[in-house]
């Protein structure tokens, strides 16, 4: 009878161990889900492109560098929002013809620079162009500082 009781206790311990492992596994999955929620919420506020407050960041950066008036900041914000709305979504881009895509991107950038220039005073435009040249010089061959191409993650 003692042997039967020992086997029963051993079986009960094994069942308890299995139950504990399942509970710990469930708790781990639930914790991982909870930890992912803030990132998912942030991604939703940024939108599908991850733009977030990029427009505000751009305006704030230019305001700091160029000492924009309130009217200029508003005009630039409007330009940047229009630019964002007019850009093709990542899935819509045709990667087959990279040269045509690059030419379109450069044409959009040149047009945006022209529109920004129309908002700025001559002194601000000169500082803006120097800022752009400095930024382009840091980019070098179109690669980021870590060796990856711009835009790739």
């Amino acid at each position: 009878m003692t042997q039967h009781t020992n086997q029963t206790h051993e079986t009960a311990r094994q069942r308890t161990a299995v139950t504990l492992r399942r509970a710990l596994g469930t708790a781990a999955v639930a914790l991982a889900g909870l930890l992912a929620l803030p990132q998912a919420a942030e991604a939703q506020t940024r939108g599908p492109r991850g733009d977030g407050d990029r427009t505000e960041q751009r305006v704030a950066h230019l305001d700091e560098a160029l000492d924009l008036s309130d009217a200029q900041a508003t005009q630039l914000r409007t330009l940047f929002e229009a630019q964002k709305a007019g850009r093709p979504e990542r899935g819509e881009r045709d990667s087959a013809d990279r040269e045509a895509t690059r030419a379109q991107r450069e044409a959009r950038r040149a047009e945006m620079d022209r529109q920004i220039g129309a908002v700025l005073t001559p002194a601000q435009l000169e500082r803006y162009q120097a800022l752009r040249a400095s930024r382009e010089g840091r980019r070098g061959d179109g690669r980021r500082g870590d060796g990856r191409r711009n835009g790739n993650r």
Side-chain angles (χ1 to χ4, degrees):
M1 183 110 162
T2 309
Q3 188 177 19
H4 177 67
T5 304
N6 286 341
Q7 288 176 344
T8 303
H9 287 302
E10 186 62 32
T11 304
R13 275 190 229 129
Q14 288 173 347
R15 276 186 271 174
T16 302
V18 167
T19 302
L20 284 173
R21 279 194 296 262
R22 286 183 183 157
L24 284 174
T26 302
V29 168
L31 180 61
L34 287 174
L35 292 174
L37 282 177
Q39 293 172 343
E42 182 183 340
Q44 286 180 347
T45 60
R46 284 192 318 250
R49 302 176 74 108
D51 288 327
D53 278 345
R54 179 77 177 122
T55 297
E56 290 306 317
Q57 290 173 350
R58 291 174 75 186
V59 171
H61 173 71
L62 289 175
D63 186 22
E64 182 179 320
L66 307 175
D67 192 28
L68 301 173
S69 70
D70 290 343
Q72 287 174 316
T74 300
Q75 288 176 301
L76 290 177
R77 191 174 290 110
T78 302
L79 283 175
F80 295 150
E81 289 294 331
Q83 177 193 35
K84 184 168 48 172
R87 283 189 311 223
E89 292 293 327
R90 290 188 190 276
E92 296 174 12
R93 296 178 183 165
D94 183 15
S95 61
D97 192 358
R98 291 188 186 273
E99 284 303 313
T101 303
R102 182 183 328 239
Q104 290 170 352
R105 186 175 52 247
E106 288 174 3
R108 284 192 308 267
R109 186 174 294 143
E111 176 61 18
M112 178 56 71
D113 279 345
R114 187 193 65 71
Q115 291 175 346
I116 290 171
V119 171
L120 302 177
T121 66
Q124 288 172 322
L125 179 58
E126 191 174 310
R127 290 196 319 251
Y128 173 74
Q129 289 170 339
L131 190 67
R132 285 290 301 222
S134 142
R135 187 170 171 212
E136 292 297 323
R138 283 195 315 257
R139 280 192 196 162
D141 67 350
R143 293 186 179 273
R144 299 182 339 182
D146 58 7
R148 295 183 294 173
R149 287 249 174 234
N150 290 332
N152 291 343
R153 295 179 195 229

